[in-house]
Amino acid sequence: MAKTLEEINEKIRKGQVVVVTAEEMVDVVAEKGPKGAADAIDVVTTGTFGPMCSSGAMMNVGHPQPRIKLGGGQVRLNRVPAYAGLAAVDVYIGATAIPDDDPRNAVFPGEFRYGGGHVIEDLAAGRRVLLEATAYGTDCYPRREIATWITLKELNEAYLLNPRNGYQNYNVAVNRSDRTIYTYMGTLKAQLGSANYCSAGQLSPLLNDPHYRTVGVGSRIFLGGGIGYVVWHGTQHSPGAKRNERGVPMGGAGTLAVLGDLKQMDSKWLRGASFRGYGATLIVGLGIPIPVLDEEIAAQTGISDSEIAAPVVDYSGPYPERRPEVICHVSYAQLKCGQIEAEGKTIPTTPLSSYPRAQEIAGTLKEWIIGGKFELSAPVAGLPGADSGMVMGPMPDSPPDQADIGR
Amino acid sequence: MKVAHRIVLHFPPAATDQPIIYRLSKDYDLVFNILKASVSPQEEGLMVLDLSGEEADYQRGAEYLRKHGVQLQPLVQDIRKNDDRCVDCGACVGVCPTEALTLERPSMRVLFDPDQCVVCGECVPCCPVEAMELRF
Ligand code: SF4
Ligand code: SF4
């Protein structure tokens, strides 16, 4: 029998709601079938904890006396450059920003020990962060420089605003070349010596709602240990990606833009990270509840790792050169076993995205819902689906001619 | 003057199937004792060994290794895994040449066994959250 979201929320208020994690749902559906599962279960919780470069924090740092116009000036947080092309004291710090004097890859592979993601972790942990800024000075904002320690609780507003999180599925990265390569997918050993993947598979949010039937703009979610919202489809959202017979994308596909109050969050779920030879980033904890409105949703939340395939891509040539070349597809069940077969070779696998933390997030969200602390919200607008025709395009290739340069 | 060094050697793929260590003893008069090795043909390899002999021979031997693309690194003292920082991402498991770092299944937690660790230090720069700590 189909349910409405309001009926589910009513059950949450009455303490009668039945919630399982997406991992537990696999067994429920196997045992009761989709129909029985839809009758028995109200909500399925998902989770993922992995590096998500397109993340950052927006904050209002308050006005000093006398005032300063950071907008158009230069701002550093613990020496990491932040974006200030906004009103006077609004600042955005991106996860991959690094100090100007970081050696980067000058000695290869660089370490990238501290960046924007670490600033966000420090703020979330309540640690003080040094703000240093210079400005040009105006009649209304006369000050030209400032340096002060700031802490999260002193900021007027601070919210995570991540343009792209929760990729619906992802590549498995390998390296066919003769040297070790250092990528955002971690260190990849030569001659297919390692295969790194980065998805929670059956626990991953959008893999449990492959057609975006319940997740949309306005969905309330677990973000960084606090409550957040889906605010838009994420950048590079590509719902038209190839799907298997169960409708599950066989690669990249959907993404989410999310927002949440940093003041509620916990540094346990927001961790600055360094990828050798690649850069700094932020590991983000994200969890989304899926209301089991009907049999079809029950069936899809019951999909297991063996039914989700990921494309194996060579990061030594085809990826950097943007050649759409896939070596083969492997299932998350195979990936989690520890080795895959490709091109006649047995390759050891490494997760990157933490499955135990994904379980913990799905479990926490489950407790919040059962405890009546978290109600589900109906999206106010859907995410573009497979029929939207939306695809991720390349960068325009229109080099300027001589007359354009220096205009 | 006699010297003895405990060192870690990193072999590029091309060098692993050459009898490099044998040459050290034959041409440079160095005595070696291999403590751990993970070298297989056509892959990058790693070896921990004690190398001793005359200082001048040792220096010439080291030069010979470098010329063949082998990196030398002194062996550090101790590696620890800080479980408060570790996020079980597994990134270190792939680079660990021994079975010191393993993924327990099906829990998918990363376990560290100090007894298997050859203290090569490979996991340290590769851990995204600085959970593998090096102590000298
Ligand atoms: S130092 Fe790290 S990589 Fe090297 S053997 Fe020990 S645990 Fe493995
Ligand atoms: S790389 Fe670091 S965080 Fe990841 S499992 Fe190893 S020790 Fe833990």
Side-chain angles (χ1 to χ4, degrees), chain A residues 11 15 42 47 73 76 101 106 117 120 186 199 208-209 217 228 235 265 292-293 312 319 324 330 356 377 397 399:
Chain A
K11 284 187 170 183
D42 300 313
R76 303 273 181 274
D101 60 357
I120 295 169
S199 167
N208 282 282
D209 185 11
V217 177
T235 52
M265 297 186 193
V292 186
L293 302 176
V312 179
Y319 183 86
V330 293
S377 63
D397 185 15

Side-chain angles (χ1 to χ4, degrees), chain A residues 180 191 271 274 336 352 354, chain B residues 42 44 85 87 89 105 128:
Chain A
T180 298
Q191 298 173 357
R271 300 286 294 274
S274 313
K336 282 183 192 165
L352 296 186
S354 172
Chain B
Q42 294 308 324
E44 281 156 300
R85 285 207 63 80
V87 295
C89 73
R105 288 167 224 280

Side-chain angles (χ1 to χ4, degrees), chain A residues 372-406:
Chain A
K373 283 206 296 200
F374 187 108
E375 287 187 19
L376 274 57
S377 63
V380 291
L383 301 175
D387 54 6
S388 67
M390 193 176 213
V391 284
M392 171 172 64
M395 185 184 277
D397 185 15
S398 310
D401 52 36
Q402 221 42 46
D404 292 328
I405 294 170

Side-chain angles (χ1 to χ4, degrees), chain B residues 79 92 95-98 100-101 112 116-124 132:
Chain B
I79 291 273
C92 56
V95 301
C96 180
T98 70
L101 286 159
F112 175 55
Q116 297 289 323
C117 177
V118 296
V119 203
C120 67
E122 284 291 293
C123 54
V124 176
M132 295 307 294

Side-chain angles (χ1 to χ4, degrees), chain A residues 172-176 188-197 312 327-328 330 334-335 337-350:
Chain A
V172 179
V174 296
N175 169 18
R176 275 179 177 141
L188 300 171
K189 286 196 204 160
Q191 298 173 357
L192 302 174
S194 52
N196 294 0
Y197 64 101
V312 179
I327 296 177
C328 59
V330 293
Q334 287 167 290
L335 287 163
C337 277
Q339 51 191 45
I340 56 167
E341 302 285 329
E343 304 202 317
K345 245 193 120 167
T346 302
I347 313 173
T349 61
T350 291

Side-chain angles (χ1 to χ4, degrees), chain A residues 138-314:
Chain A
T138 71
D139 285 342
C140 44
Y141 291 90
R143 200 157 173 158
R144 285 163 189 260
E145 57 183 27
I146 196 158
T148 179
W149 290 102
I150 59 170
T151 58
L152 181 60
K153 69 173 192 304
E154 297 162 310
L155 300 176
N156 290 319
E157 286 80 23
Y159 51 92
L160 214 58
L161 173 53
N162 302 350
R164 179 169 76 249
N165 280 180
Y167 239 121
Q168 195 164 14
N169 196 346
Y170 214 76
N171 293 341
V172 179
V174 296
N175 169 18
R176 275 179 177 141
S177 79
D178 287 333
R179 67 167 182 99
T180 298
I181 60 171
Y182 302 89
T183 74
Y184 70 88
M185 293 292 285
T187 300
L188 300 171
K189 286 196 204 160
Q191 298 173 357
L192 302 174
S194 52
N196 294 0
Y197 64 101
C198 192
S199 167
Q202 63 191 12
L203 264 180
S204 184
L206 286 181
L207 284 173
N208 282 282
D209 185 11
H211 301 295
Y212 328 118
R213 281 194 55 206
T214 70
V215 181
V217 177
S219 290
R220 187 177 292 123
I221 60 173
F222 172 109
L223 183 62
I227 289 174
Y229 297 89
V230 172
V231 292
W232 201 242
H233 60 270
T235 52
Q236 298 183 18
H237 182 69
S238 300
K242 196 166 164 243
R243 289 164 188 261
N244 71 9
E245 64 287 354
R246 298 207 58 181
V248 181
M250 317 254 309
T255 67
L256 298 171
V258 300
L259 182 151
D261 183 7
L262 190 61
K263 294 192 181 200
Q264 289 176 32
M265 297 186 193
D266 181 344
S267 59
K268 178 178 177 186
W269 301 115
L270 292 175
R271 300 286 294 274
S274 313
F275 278 84
R276 195 180 183 191
Y278 175 73
T281 187
L282 183 69
I283 302 180
V284 179
L286 172 75
I288 301 185
I290 315 281
V292 186
L293 302 176
D294 56 34
E295 224 179 292
E296 185 198 320
I297 294 174
Q300 276 171 330
T301 50
I303 289 177
S304 74
D305 281 334
S306 59
E307 298 160 291
I308 309 169
V312 179
V313 174
D314 180 4

